[in-house]
Amino acid sequence: IWLTVGMSSTSRPGLPTVSPKNSLVLGRTAAFQASKFGAASKAGISINWKTALECGVAMACARVIVNGVGQVPFRLMREQNGRREPARDHPLFDLFAYKPNEWQTSTELLEQLTLHLVFASNAFVWKNRVLNRMRELLPIEPAHMTVTRIGWKSLYDVSIDGTTQRVPAQEIWHLRGPSWNGWEGLDGVKLAREAIGLAVAQEGYGAGSFKDGALLSGILTTEANLNADQRKSMRKSFEDAYTGQGASRIAVLSNGMKFVTMSANNADSQYVEARKFQVEEVCRAFGVLPIMVGYSDKTATYASAEQMFLAHVVHTLGPWYARIEQSASVNLLTPQERQQGYYFKFFTQALLRGAAKDRASFYSTLYNIGAISPNEIRELEDWNPYEGGNQYRVPLNMADPNAQPTGQP
């Protein structure tokens, strides 16, 4: 419904209904099929974005990346005459600072797009322009989008309510994760399906083990000659009595019958150790440090944990920041606007801030070499400026006596 309403506002009433099968296809993104139906893993579990989200460690990895992107201010900036400042007079500024569409905040939009990128490595946004002015940004689920590559051009088909509409490429903001061919991101869930599938299988095994009893399956033996019906009845009565809710009961066997365990118990199979290793394996697939999802070994100290948190910002979130910044600047700004100094930027200072003592030492060092003014320090701390605070000061013993005053030739 939103697509029909949005298209009418752009004065394009005759969007063709197309079928990708009728095109000369040189390549088509797998995001639609993989996101909807999933990919089978060797553990026997089909993994798609829904089953991946139900895996605790995969959800935790996605959450720390999504939160790291969503909580950081994402602003349209302008560099002019050597100064950088927010481009508040540009229509895109409000879309990313406050409200990109009728039902989302800017944080919610960034979180949704990042979640799509993490699991599908593709995120799509329809750019709704009215009179050549960007009015709203409408996210499209990857499962509803098919990208067809013909020659060097990409064609975008949106499938909603059983119908397919082709949207002009210039009206789609396509964000990609790491890509092999350059026009579609490598499906994150499909590539990590083995790690996620094994984690899901281990969780299911543990749940079944504790549901039916910690004692694993075995055989009942007796010297008596039992027919088929007697064996079936004996098996059923034993399972009903001593598994599930009755797993903790004491088994009483008669007529020389014995129970022999045929499988290793959880301790012998190192079930806990295997689950811990799988946490690390899934974290490797998502590029997230295990400590960020609540897993750490005994070697971690307070000092090392702090460095790990900084490494998370630099090595995990940093590439996502760069990817989104560049994609927004290329797809949402015109060449003329980029030449005028407009660009998008994440402000990550809050994530990198240390303790008050560490910040004070950092500011003092910059202030003493004239690299920062008092008002710039106050701005970083979200304090109001004061008159005269824009002056850069340098100790007299560091000043160059031959330097010309500012503004003089």
Side-chain angles (χ1 to χ4, degrees):
I1 296 175
W2 61 260
L3 189 60
T4 304
V5 173
M7 287 301 180
S8 63
S9 65
T10 60
S11 301
R12 292 185 178 89
L15 279 178
T17 299
V18 300
S19 173
K21 295 181 180 179
N22 297 330
S23 302
L24 177 61
V25 178
L26 298 184
R28 178 177 291 132
T29 179
F32 178 84
Q33 296 291 334
S35 299
K36 185 175 182 180
F37 302 108
S41 66
K42 295 177 182 178
I45 299 174
S46 181
I47 300 299
N48 57 22
W49 68 270
K50 289 184 178 180
T51 55
L53 281 174
E54 293 172 355
C55 175
V57 61
M59 177 58 190
C61 289
R63 185 179 64 247
V64 296
I65 296 176
V66 168
N67 290 345
V69 174
Q71 70 179 341
V72 174
F74 184 57
R75 297 289 183 264
L76 177 64
M77 303 294 292
R78 177 174 51 210
E79 182 179 5
Q80 195 172 26
N81 298 327
R83 294 186 58 84
R84 299 177 178 88
E85 59 184 5
R88 300 183 182 276
D89 56 344
H90 196 284
L92 281 173
F93 183 86
D94 282 346
L95 293 182
F96 281 101
Y98 305 107
K99 189 176 181 180
N101 51 57
E102 289 295 329
W103 68 90
Q104 285 183 308
T105 64
S106 59
T107 296
E108 292 170 342
L109 176 66
L110 285 175
E111 288 178 340
Q112 181 183 6
L113 296 181
T114 306
L115 197 61
H116 291 173
L117 283 172
V118 170
F119 282 99
S121 285
N122 291 276
F124 304 93
V125 178
W126 183 61
K127 302 178 287 187
N128 187 12
R129 287 191 177 94
V130 180
L131 299 178
N132 205 30
R133 182 183 177 91
M134 197 83 70
R135 293 296 183 181
E136 57 183 350
L137 299 170
L138 303 174
I140 305 173
E141 294 183 43
H144 294 165
M145 179 67 73
T146 301
V147 185
T148 306
R149 187 75 168 181
I150 299 180
W152 297 103
K153 295 183 179 180
S154 295
L155 306 178
Y156 295 89
D157 299 324
V158 183
S159 301
I160 299 178
D161 297 331
T163 62
T164 300
Q165 287 184 307
R166 176 153 294 171
V167 182
Q170 63 270 21
E171 296 185 3
I172 294 294
W173 177 21
H174 183 184
L175 297 93
R176 305 174 186 85
S179 175
W180 180 263
N181 55 27
W183 58 273
E184 65 169 338
L186 294 171
D187 193 301
V189 170
K190 183 177 180 181
L191 293 178
R193 67 185 183 276
E194 300 300 343
I196 298 174
L198 184 53
V200 173
Q202 289 176 344
E203 185 175 2
Y205 166 82
S209 176
F210 286 101
K211 175 184 176 183
D212 296 331
L215 190 62
L216 298 183
S217 61
I219 60 174
L220 289 170
T221 66
T222 180
E223 295 180 359
N225 187 15
L226 303 178
N227 58 35
D229 292 337
Q230 288 174 325
R231 290 195 299 270
K232 182 178 180 181
S233 177
M234 179 61 67
R235 181 190 300 112
K236 185 178 186 305
S237 62
F238 188 86
E239 290 176 350
D240 292 343
Y242 303 115
T243 62
Q245 297 297 324
S248 59
R249 295 176 183 173
I250 298 176
V252 179
L253 305 178
S254 59
N255 297 329
M257 187 169 291
K258 299 178 181 179
F259 179 81
V260 181
T261 302
M262 299 298 295
S263 302
N265 56 34
N266 289 339
D268 293 336
S269 62
Q270 295 186 318
Y271 172 71
V272 174
E273 290 78 4
R275 291 214 65 185
K276 288 182 178 180
F277 175 79
Q278 209 55 30
V279 169
E280 298 176 349
E281 192 73 4
V282 175
C283 286
R284 274 190 285 268
F286 285 94
V288 174
L289 295 174
I291 192 174
M292 299 305 302
V293 300
Y295 175 89
S296 62
D297 54 28
K298 296 180 180 179
T299 60
T301 63
Y302 181 82
S304 64
E306 183 180 11
Q307 293 303 311
M308 290 179 185
F309 296 147
L310 293 176
H312 172 72
V313 176
V314 175
H315 299 293
T316 299
L317 297 179
W320 290 110
Y321 292 149
R323 189 178 306 279
I324 297 174
E325 286 174 348
Q326 294 181 19
S327 180
S329 297
V330 169
N331 289 277
L332 302 180
L333 298 175
T334 65
Q336 293 76 16
E337 289 173 330
R338 291 194 293 271
Q339 291 178 359
Q340 293 170 4
Y342 289 98
Y343 64 96
F344 284 93
K345 181 175 178 59
F346 280 101
F347 288 87
T348 62
Q349 289 88 342
L351 295 179
L352 296 173
R353 290 172 65 177
K357 182 179 179 180
D358 297 329
R359 297 202 309 276
S361 176
F362 174 69
Y363 294 150
S364 177
T365 301
L366 294 181
Y367 176 79
N368 287 332
I369 63 174
I372 195 170
S373 68
N375 277 347
E376 288 174 332
I377 296 175
R378 297 177 68 86
E379 182 180 359
L380 291 174
E381 291 294 319
D382 202 22
W383 297 347
N384 292 326
Y386 68 89
E387 186 175 357
N390 292 327
Q391 179 94 24
Y392 292 89
R393 298 179 174 89
V394 180
L396 291 177
N397 62 343
M398 296 180 61
D400 182 1
N402 299 318
Q404 296 291 331
T406 303
Q408 297 295 324

